[in-house]
Amino acid sequence: MKKVFIKTHGCQMNEYDSEKMLDMLSLEEKFIQTTNQDEADLLVLNTCSIREKAQERVFHQVGRWKKLKDKNPNLKIAIGGCVASQEGQQITKRAPAVDIVFGPQTLHRLPKMYRSAVQEEKNQIDISFPKIEKFDHIPDTKTDEPTAFVSIAEGCNKYCSFCVVPHTRGHEVSRPVQDIIEEIKKLADQGVREINLLGQNVNNYKGIDGGEKKSLAFLIERTAKIDGIDRIRYTTSHPFEFRDDLVELYAHLPELVSHVHLPIQSGSDRILKLMRRRYTVEKYLDLVSRLKKNRPNISLSSDFIVGFPNESQQDFEDTLSVIDEVRYDESFSFIYSPRPNTPAAEMEDNVSLEEKKDRLAILQNRLNHHAFNIGRKMVGTIERCLVTGISKKNPGELQARTENNRVVNFPSSAKLIGEFVDIEIVDQLTNCLRGKIKTETDLCQN
Ligand code: SAH
Ligand code: F3S
């Protein structure tokens, strides 16, 4: 049996793609996965270039892997993902130990590229964007997890001025509704209860069904009808294309979780314009209030960038004000870094690194404050949770997820994995909540 070791950098989309790489390699080349890189026949690095130092990280990793190749000349090294897409053959030029370079849209060709690399003893490079053909080649996922990601669209057309994704993952392409529904049905048959619909900008989903383009809301409603699927999430949302039919769904579709990741990036209209985000703070807040009207207990999370070119102290404070107004749940925040080929990279990166770091610390402090308060308010409440597995902290306990995606650890027996249970939140610790399962007798009394 040949063994493959896969290392993944970056986002959930990359995690999803890495799973698909493994599925393809197992099916076509009978590879099995190993977690020990010393015994691998193929080393795969699925890269991310969203923020700085991405290229350097890749070359450092290849440098370490080259030592393994010196010991085992049959070992092949493959670089995929967004750095591969961006750098192409520069990678093999700078790091000749690399045998295969493939992009996010050519990952289904990896087994064939591996075969060619072995047979022809020469580098294989394919970073093209062949529409959506990859999904026609990817085999069905085998899983024993109760949650699963399903890619619904690839690429992005938004061209936010700071973002490299449209350049590395290509133009937005939506998968047809029926293909996605079939994939979800097969996952549900294996016990999956929660689906996370994935894409760079899922709000602009336009998959074909019966000859017509359908919206994300339509796809979510169809997903909710599948037996066994009781929870639906989606990531990531762009506020600009958040359509009314989706806002409407929150009023009547219980399968749709009371949690939305809705990246605002900045709370200053001036900066949002420079970022080419296509909404104002007022529009964003109006969307938030419409969501809250339809789902009063909805929690929101966001991504933030600090130190974008020309961000003044006032712009930054405007972002803090929005944070105080929305009171976000656990969110992500980043220091701006110029990315190759993006319009923002042409602007002067004129906020000093020291200032960026200070702003990031202040912003994260504010975010933590609100997220902590949300957790504190959950203490004493009963939350409907999906039991996802054994607790990472204590093998004698289980781990579950709340609607707002918080981890809850609680004492119980393993037979509940994959079930929805009502859990009373009894405490909030640094990285998780502690809970106590409501016993059947307790549940009957309610
Ligand atoms: N499609 C998603 C985001 C993808 S990238 C959306 O619409 O929001 C994930 C996050 O990385 C972004 O939301 C942004 O906050 C951050 N990011 C992207 N490019 C960046 C850059 N050049 N510098 C710093 N952060 C960046
Ligand atoms: Fe990037 Fe903006 Fe698309 S952040 S992924 S260009 S929505």
PDB file of all heavy atoms in Angstrom, residues 50-51 162-163 165 200-201 236-238 263 265 277 303-305 334-337 339, ligand 1:
ATOM      1  N   ILE A  50      -3.695  33.690   1.579  1.00  0.00           N
ATOM      2  CA  ILE A  50      -4.577  34.808   1.912  1.00  0.00           C
ATOM      3  C   ILE A  50      -3.824  35.924   2.647  1.00  0.00           C
ATOM      4  O   ILE A  50      -4.100  37.082   2.441  1.00  0.00           O
ATOM      5  CB  ILE A  50      -5.819  34.329   2.723  1.00  0.00           C
ATOM      6  CG1 ILE A  50      -6.928  35.356   2.666  1.00  0.00           C
ATOM      7  CG2 ILE A  50      -5.509  34.003   4.169  1.00  0.00           C
ATOM      8  CD1 ILE A  50      -7.717  35.351   1.431  1.00  0.00           C
ATOM      9  N   ARG A  51      -2.875  35.539   3.483  1.00  0.00           N
ATOM     10  CA  ARG A  51      -2.117  36.569   4.186  1.00  0.00           C
ATOM     11  C   ARG A  51      -0.618  36.370   3.991  1.00  0.00           C
ATOM     12  O   ARG A  51      -0.189  35.424   3.371  1.00  0.00           O
ATOM     13  CB  ARG A  51      -2.500  36.597   5.668  1.00  0.00           C
ATOM     14  CG  ARG A  51      -3.860  37.276   5.855  1.00  0.00           C
ATOM     15  CD  ARG A  51      -4.366  37.174   7.262  1.00  0.00           C
ATOM     16  NE  ARG A  51      -4.730  35.820   7.594  1.00  0.00           N
ATOM     17  CZ  ARG A  51      -5.923  35.268   7.324  1.00  0.00           C
ATOM     18  NH1 ARG A  51      -6.854  35.963   6.724  1.00  0.00           N
ATOM     19  NH2 ARG A  51      -6.170  34.028   7.659  1.00  0.00           N
ATOM     20  N   PHE A 162      -8.337  43.947  -1.414  1.00  0.00           N
ATOM     21  CA  PHE A 162      -7.213  43.377  -0.646  1.00  0.00           C
ATOM     22  C   PHE A 162      -7.019  41.884  -0.897  1.00  0.00           C
ATOM     23  O   PHE A 162      -6.062  41.286  -0.428  1.00  0.00           O
ATOM     24  CB  PHE A 162      -7.470  43.572   0.866  1.00  0.00           C
ATOM     25  CG  PHE A 162      -8.829  43.065   1.309  1.00  0.00           C
ATOM     26  CD1 PHE A 162      -9.035  41.723   1.572  1.00  0.00           C
ATOM     27  CD2 PHE A 162      -9.905  43.944   1.435  1.00  0.00           C
ATOM     28  CE1 PHE A 162     -10.286  41.255   1.951  1.00  0.00           C
ATOM     29  CE2 PHE A 162     -11.158  43.485   1.802  1.00  0.00           C
ATOM     30  CZ  PHE A 162     -11.354  42.130   2.067  1.00  0.00           C
ATOM     31  N   CYS A 163      -7.945  41.248  -1.645  1.00  0.00           N
ATOM     32  CA  CYS A 163      -8.051  39.781  -1.564  1.00  0.00           C
ATOM     33  C   CYS A 163      -7.482  39.061  -2.778  1.00  0.00           C
ATOM     34  O   CYS A 163      -7.734  39.423  -3.926  1.00  0.00           O
ATOM     35  CB  CYS A 163      -9.512  39.404  -1.379  1.00  0.00           C
ATOM     36  SG  CYS A 163      -9.737  37.648  -1.146  1.00  0.00           S
ATOM     37  N   VAL A 165      -8.037  35.810  -3.425  1.00  0.00           N
ATOM     38  CA  VAL A 165      -8.826  34.620  -3.794  1.00  0.00           C
ATOM     39  C   VAL A 165      -9.299  34.614  -5.258  1.00  0.00           C
ATOM     40  O   VAL A 165      -9.141  33.607  -5.952  1.00  0.00           O
ATOM     41  CB  VAL A 165     -10.016  34.411  -2.820  1.00  0.00           C
ATOM     42  CG1 VAL A 165     -10.977  33.350  -3.340  1.00  0.00           C
ATOM     43  CG2 VAL A 165      -9.504  34.022  -1.449  1.00  0.00           C
ATOM     44  N   GLN A 200     -16.721  30.721  -1.269  1.00  0.00           N
ATOM     45  CA  GLN A 200     -16.098  32.000  -0.878  1.00  0.00           C
ATOM     46  C   GLN A 200     -17.155  33.069  -0.679  1.00  0.00           C
ATOM     47  O   GLN A 200     -16.984  33.980   0.115  1.00  0.00           O
ATOM     48  CB  GLN A 200     -15.112  32.472  -1.947  1.00  0.00           C
ATOM     49  CG  GLN A 200     -13.924  31.569  -2.123  1.00  0.00           C
ATOM     50  CD  GLN A 200     -13.093  31.445  -0.875  1.00  0.00           C
ATOM     51  OE1 GLN A 200     -13.114  32.326  -0.015  1.00  0.00           O
ATOM     52  NE2 GLN A 200     -12.361  30.365  -0.761  1.00  0.00           N
ATOM     53  N   ASN A 201     -18.253  32.953  -1.427  1.00  0.00           N
ATOM     54  CA  ASN A 201     -19.321  33.949  -1.344  1.00  0.00           C
ATOM     55  C   ASN A 201     -20.623  33.219  -1.659  1.00  0.00           C
ATOM     56  O   ASN A 201     -21.160  33.333  -2.754  1.00  0.00           O
ATOM     57  CB  ASN A 201     -19.026  35.073  -2.356  1.00  0.00           C
ATOM     58  CG  ASN A 201     -20.180  36.021  -2.491  1.00  0.00           C
ATOM     59  OD1 ASN A 201     -21.069  36.060  -1.631  1.00  0.00           O
ATOM     60  ND2 ASN A 201     -20.203  36.772  -3.571  1.00  0.00           N
ATOM     61  N   THR A 236     -18.745  31.323   3.260  1.00  0.00           N
ATOM     62  CA  THR A 236     -18.860  32.599   3.935  1.00  0.00           C
ATOM     63  C   THR A 236     -19.856  33.473   3.202  1.00  0.00           C
ATOM     64  O   THR A 236     -19.992  33.381   1.995  1.00  0.00           O
ATOM     65  CB  THR A 236     -17.488  33.304   3.933  1.00  0.00           C
ATOM     66  OG1 THR A 236     -16.585  32.576   4.713  1.00  0.00           O
ATOM     67  CG2 THR A 236     -17.585  34.662   4.536  1.00  0.00           C
ATOM     68  N   SER A 237     -20.432  34.351   3.923  1.00  0.00           N
ATOM     69  CA  SER A 237     -21.457  35.254   3.425  1.00  0.00           C
ATOM     70  C   SER A 237     -20.869  36.596   3.055  1.00  0.00           C
ATOM     71  O   SER A 237     -20.092  37.143   3.823  1.00  0.00           O
ATOM     72  CB  SER A 237     -22.378  35.553   4.586  1.00  0.00           C
ATOM     73  OG  SER A 237     -23.566  34.917   4.434  1.00  0.00           O
ATOM     74  N   HIS A 238     -21.305  37.137   1.925  1.00  0.00           N
ATOM     75  CA  HIS A 238     -20.944  38.526   1.615  1.00  0.00           C
ATOM     76  C   HIS A 238     -22.177  39.401   1.854  1.00  0.00           C
ATOM     77  O   HIS A 238     -23.226  39.156   1.254  1.00  0.00           O
ATOM     78  CB  HIS A 238     -20.485  38.641   0.165  1.00  0.00           C
ATOM     79  CG  HIS A 238     -19.803  39.931  -0.122  1.00  0.00           C
ATOM     80  ND1 HIS A 238     -20.406  41.143   0.073  1.00  0.00           N
ATOM     81  CD2 HIS A 238     -18.548  40.199  -0.543  1.00  0.00           C
ATOM     82  CE1 HIS A 238     -19.562  42.113  -0.234  1.00  0.00           C
ATOM     83  NE2 HIS A 238     -18.424  41.557  -0.608  1.00  0.00           N
ATOM     84  N   PRO A 263     -18.949  38.708   7.432  1.00  0.00           N
ATOM     85  CA  PRO A 263     -17.756  39.561   7.554  1.00  0.00           C
ATOM     86  C   PRO A 263     -18.014  41.007   7.147  1.00  0.00           C
ATOM     87  O   PRO A 263     -18.462  41.252   6.034  1.00  0.00           O
ATOM     88  CB  PRO A 263     -16.740  38.908   6.606  1.00  0.00           C
ATOM     89  CG  PRO A 263     -17.207  37.508   6.437  1.00  0.00           C
ATOM     90  CD  PRO A 263     -18.709  37.583   6.510  1.00  0.00           C
ATOM     91  N   GLN A 265     -15.453  43.463   7.832  1.00  0.00           N
ATOM     92  CA  GLN A 265     -14.059  43.892   7.563  1.00  0.00           C
ATOM     93  C   GLN A 265     -13.699  45.222   8.213  1.00  0.00           C
ATOM     94  O   GLN A 265     -12.669  45.334   8.859  1.00  0.00           O
ATOM     95  CB  GLN A 265     -13.740  43.971   6.056  1.00  0.00           C
ATOM     96  CG  GLN A 265     -14.147  42.774   5.216  1.00  0.00           C
ATOM     97  CD  GLN A 265     -13.421  41.483   5.541  1.00  0.00           C
ATOM     98  OE1 GLN A 265     -12.529  41.448   6.381  1.00  0.00           O
ATOM     99  NE2 GLN A 265     -13.824  40.384   4.911  1.00  0.00           N
ATOM    100  N   ARG A 277     -15.916  46.850  -0.984  1.00  0.00           N
ATOM    101  CA  ARG A 277     -16.823  45.859  -0.393  1.00  0.00           C
ATOM    102  C   ARG A 277     -18.269  46.054  -0.836  1.00  0.00           C
ATOM    103  O   ARG A 277     -19.129  45.230  -0.561  1.00  0.00           O
ATOM    104  CB  ARG A 277     -16.722  45.906   1.147  1.00  0.00           C
ATOM    105  CG  ARG A 277     -15.435  45.337   1.689  1.00  0.00           C
ATOM    106  CD  ARG A 277     -15.356  43.835   1.506  1.00  0.00           C
ATOM    107  NE  ARG A 277     -16.242  43.126   2.418  1.00  0.00           N
ATOM    108  CZ  ARG A 277     -16.317  41.804   2.464  1.00  0.00           C
ATOM    109  NH1 ARG A 277     -15.587  41.051   1.666  1.00  0.00           N
ATOM    110  NH2 ARG A 277     -17.141  41.221   3.303  1.00  0.00           N
ATOM    111  N   ASP A 303     -15.334  38.809  10.161  1.00  0.00           N
ATOM    112  CA  ASP A 303     -13.896  38.968   9.948  1.00  0.00           C
ATOM    113  C   ASP A 303     -13.610  40.465   9.953  1.00  0.00           C
ATOM    114  O   ASP A 303     -14.438  41.257   9.466  1.00  0.00           O
ATOM    115  CB  ASP A 303     -13.472  38.434   8.573  1.00  0.00           C
ATOM    116  CG  ASP A 303     -13.634  36.933   8.430  1.00  0.00           C
ATOM    117  OD1 ASP A 303     -13.840  36.250   9.441  1.00  0.00           O
ATOM    118  OD2 ASP A 303     -13.551  36.450   7.282  1.00  0.00           O
ATOM    119  N   PHE A 304     -12.441  40.821  10.473  1.00  0.00           N
ATOM    120  CA  PHE A 304     -12.019  42.231  10.483  1.00  0.00           C
ATOM    121  C   PHE A 304     -10.592  42.338   9.973  1.00  0.00           C
ATOM    122  O   PHE A 304      -9.760  41.463  10.252  1.00  0.00           O
ATOM    123  CB  PHE A 304     -12.035  42.789  11.913  1.00  0.00           C
ATOM    124  CG  PHE A 304     -13.394  42.779  12.543  1.00  0.00           C
ATOM    125  CD1 PHE A 304     -13.827  41.674  13.264  1.00  0.00           C
ATOM    126  CD2 PHE A 304     -14.243  43.870  12.410  1.00  0.00           C
ATOM    127  CE1 PHE A 304     -15.091  41.649  13.838  1.00  0.00           C
ATOM    128  CE2 PHE A 304     -15.510  43.846  12.986  1.00  0.00           C
ATOM    129  CZ  PHE A 304     -15.933  42.739  13.696  1.00  0.00           C
ATOM    130  N   ILE A 305     -10.335  43.420   9.240  1.00  0.00           N
ATOM    131  CA  ILE A 305      -8.949  43.718   8.846  1.00  0.00           C
ATOM    132  C   ILE A 305      -8.579  45.053   9.486  1.00  0.00           C
ATOM    133  O   ILE A 305      -9.329  46.026   9.350  1.00  0.00           O
ATOM    134  CB  ILE A 305      -8.821  43.839   7.311  1.00  0.00           C
ATOM    135  CG1 ILE A 305      -9.132  42.485   6.646  1.00  0.00           C
ATOM    136  CG2 ILE A 305      -7.427  44.311   6.931  1.00  0.00           C
ATOM    137  CD1 ILE A 305      -9.083  42.509   5.122  1.00  0.00           C
ATOM    138  N   PHE A 334      -7.566  40.283  11.516  1.00  0.00           N
ATOM    139  CA  PHE A 334      -6.259  40.153  10.885  1.00  0.00           C
ATOM    140  C   PHE A 334      -5.620  41.511  10.671  1.00  0.00           C
ATOM    141  O   PHE A 334      -6.325  42.504  10.464  1.00  0.00           O
ATOM    142  CB  PHE A 334      -6.399  39.498   9.499  1.00  0.00           C
ATOM    143  CG  PHE A 334      -7.259  38.263   9.506  1.00  0.00           C
ATOM    144  CD1 PHE A 334      -8.593  38.328   9.101  1.00  0.00           C
ATOM    145  CD2 PHE A 334      -6.751  37.057   9.941  1.00  0.00           C
ATOM    146  CE1 PHE A 334      -9.388  37.192   9.106  1.00  0.00           C
ATOM    147  CE2 PHE A 334      -7.545  35.913   9.952  1.00  0.00           C
ATOM    148  CZ  PHE A 334      -8.858  35.978   9.535  1.00  0.00           C
ATOM    149  N   ILE A 335      -4.291  41.496  10.653  1.00  0.00           N
ATOM    150  CA  ILE A 335      -3.535  42.682  10.245  1.00  0.00           C
ATOM    151  C   ILE A 335      -3.490  42.680   8.722  1.00  0.00           C
ATOM    152  O   ILE A 335      -3.230  41.639   8.109  1.00  0.00           O
ATOM    153  CB  ILE A 335      -2.114  42.619  10.851  1.00  0.00           C
ATOM    154  CG1 ILE A 335      -2.187  43.009  12.332  1.00  0.00           C
ATOM    155  CG2 ILE A 335      -1.135  43.494  10.074  1.00  0.00           C
ATOM    156  CD1 ILE A 335      -0.859  43.018  13.042  1.00  0.00           C
ATOM    157  N   TYR A 336      -3.750  43.851   8.125  1.00  0.00           N
ATOM    158  CA  TYR A 336      -3.714  43.920   6.660  1.00  0.00           C
ATOM    159  C   TYR A 336      -2.328  43.587   6.136  1.00  0.00           C
ATOM    160  O   TYR A 336      -1.322  44.052   6.671  1.00  0.00           O
ATOM    161  CB  TYR A 336      -4.109  45.337   6.194  1.00  0.00           C
ATOM    162  CG  TYR A 336      -3.785  45.548   4.731  1.00  0.00           C
ATOM    163  CD1 TYR A 336      -4.559  44.942   3.760  1.00  0.00           C
ATOM    164  CD2 TYR A 336      -2.666  46.297   4.337  1.00  0.00           C
ATOM    165  CE1 TYR A 336      -4.241  45.079   2.411  1.00  0.00           C
ATOM    166  CE2 TYR A 336      -2.348  46.443   2.999  1.00  0.00           C
ATOM    167  CZ  TYR A 336      -3.140  45.818   2.045  1.00  0.00           C
ATOM    168  OH  TYR A 336      -2.816  45.949   0.716  1.00  0.00           O
ATOM    169  N   SER A 337      -2.282  42.773   5.087  1.00  0.00           N
ATOM    170  CA  SER A 337      -1.007  42.580   4.395  1.00  0.00           C
ATOM    171  C   SER A 337      -1.244  42.631   2.889  1.00  0.00           C
ATOM    172  O   SER A 337      -2.204  42.042   2.383  1.00  0.00           O
ATOM    173  CB  SER A 337      -0.346  41.263   4.792  1.00  0.00           C
ATOM    174  OG  SER A 337      -1.136  40.178   4.383  1.00  0.00           O
ATOM    175  N   ARG A 339      -1.275  41.808  -0.868  1.00  0.00           N
ATOM    176  CA  ARG A 339      -1.154  40.537  -1.582  1.00  0.00           C
ATOM    177  C   ARG A 339      -0.862  40.792  -3.052  1.00  0.00           C
ATOM    178  O   ARG A 339      -1.376  41.758  -3.631  1.00  0.00           O
ATOM    179  CB  ARG A 339      -2.453  39.708  -1.458  1.00  0.00           C
ATOM    180  CG  ARG A 339      -2.970  39.455  -0.080  1.00  0.00           C
ATOM    181  CD  ARG A 339      -1.914  38.964   0.910  1.00  0.00           C
ATOM    182  NE  ARG A 339      -1.294  37.701   0.588  1.00  0.00           N
ATOM    183  CZ  ARG A 339       0.029  37.468   0.645  1.00  0.00           C
ATOM    184  NH1 ARG A 339       0.854  38.424   0.983  1.00  0.00           N
ATOM    185  NH2 ARG A 339       0.504  36.291   0.343  1.00  0.00           N
TER     186      ARG A 339
HETATM  187  N1  SAH B   1     -14.928  35.160   1.119  1.00  0.00           N
HETATM  188  C1  SAH B   1     -14.788  35.665   2.392  1.00  0.00           C
HETATM  189  C2  SAH B   1     -13.385  35.819   2.902  1.00  0.00           C
HETATM  190  C3  SAH B   1     -12.259  35.020   2.404  1.00  0.00           C
HETATM  191  S1  SAH B   1     -10.698  35.412   3.089  1.00  0.00           S
HETATM  192  C4  SAH B   1     -15.525  37.013   2.554  1.00  0.00           C
HETATM  193  O1  SAH B   1     -16.212  37.466   1.718  1.00  0.00           O
HETATM  194  O2  SAH B   1     -15.368  37.664   3.564  1.00  0.00           O
HETATM  195  C5  SAH B   1     -10.942  35.329   4.844  1.00  0.00           C
HETATM  196  C6  SAH B   1     -10.606  36.593   5.523  1.00  0.00           C
HETATM  197  O3  SAH B   1      -9.222  36.878   5.432  1.00  0.00           O
HETATM  198  C7  SAH B   1     -11.275  37.814   4.958  1.00  0.00           C
HETATM  199  O4  SAH B   1     -12.597  37.949   5.361  1.00  0.00           O
HETATM  200  C8  SAH B   1     -10.396  38.933   5.459  1.00  0.00           C
HETATM  201  O5  SAH B   1     -10.817  39.376   6.739  1.00  0.00           O
HETATM  202  C9  SAH B   1      -9.026  38.268   5.591  1.00  0.00           C
HETATM  203  N2  SAH B   1      -8.121  38.733   4.532  1.00  0.00           N
HETATM  204  C10 SAH B   1      -8.226  38.543   3.210  1.00  0.00           C
HETATM  205  N3  SAH B   1      -7.216  39.154   2.550  1.00  0.00           N
HETATM  206  C11 SAH B   1      -6.472  39.781   3.485  1.00  0.00           C
HETATM  207  C12 SAH B   1      -5.306  40.600   3.430  1.00  0.00           C
HETATM  208  N4  SAH B   1      -4.733  40.924   2.286  1.00  0.00           N
HETATM  209  N5  SAH B   1      -4.789  41.046   4.605  1.00  0.00           N
HETATM  210  C13 SAH B   1      -5.387  40.722   5.780  1.00  0.00           C
HETATM  211  N6  SAH B   1      -6.492  39.975   5.887  1.00  0.00           N
HETATM  212  C14 SAH B   1      -7.025  39.505   4.755  1.00  0.00           C
END
